[in-house]
């Protein structure tokens, strides 16, 4: 669980990362060096012993079974 002083911060950042680039992510994190970086999975905070091992950006283009084209980009953070 996040400390009480980070709850408002968590709510802001959940929607703030739509369409963000790796550079923008690094800039954002650099502006908040005084705060802990807490990842969550299934609504629970990931234990503190984990660390970031890779950050990747991917651009995808797809065609679904109805012949509808989709494209998107994602940032993958591996712990």
């Amino acid at each position: 669980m996040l400390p009480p002083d980070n709850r408002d911060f968590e709510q802001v950042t959940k929607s703030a990362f739509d369409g963000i680039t790796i550079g923008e992510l690094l800039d954002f994190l650099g502006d908040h060096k005084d705060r802990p970086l807490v990842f969550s999975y299934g609504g629970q905070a990931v234990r503190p012993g984990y660390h970031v091992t890779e950050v990747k950006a991917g651009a995808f283009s797809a065609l679904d079974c109805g012949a509808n084209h989709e494209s998107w980009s994602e940032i993958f953070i591996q712990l």
Side-chain angles (χ1 to χ4, degrees):
M1 186 164 155
L2 292 173
D5 64 334
N6 284 338
R7 289 179 190 200
D8 292 335
F9 182 74
E10 178 191 22
Q11 296 304 314
V12 170
T13 58
K14 280 186 178 178
S15 62
F17 292 123
D18 290 341
I20 194 169
T21 65
I22 286 180
E24 292 167 335
L25 175 63
L26 292 174
D27 288 343
F28 178 86
L29 293 173
D31 291 342
H32 297 89
K33 289 180 182 178
D34 58 328
R35 304 201 100 159
L37 179 59
V38 179
F39 290 92
S40 64
Y41 179 76
Q44 300 291 326
V46 175
R47 293 186 315 206
Y50 286 85
H51 62 277
V52 175
T53 58
E54 291 184 22
V55 178
K56 300 177 186 178
F60 300 90
S61 183
L63 189 62
D64 70 13
C65 62
N68 298 306
H69 180 260
E70 298 179 287
S71 61
W72 69 94
S73 60
E74 293 183 27
I75 295 176
F76 301 89
I77 300 176
Q78 180 175 304
L79 301 181

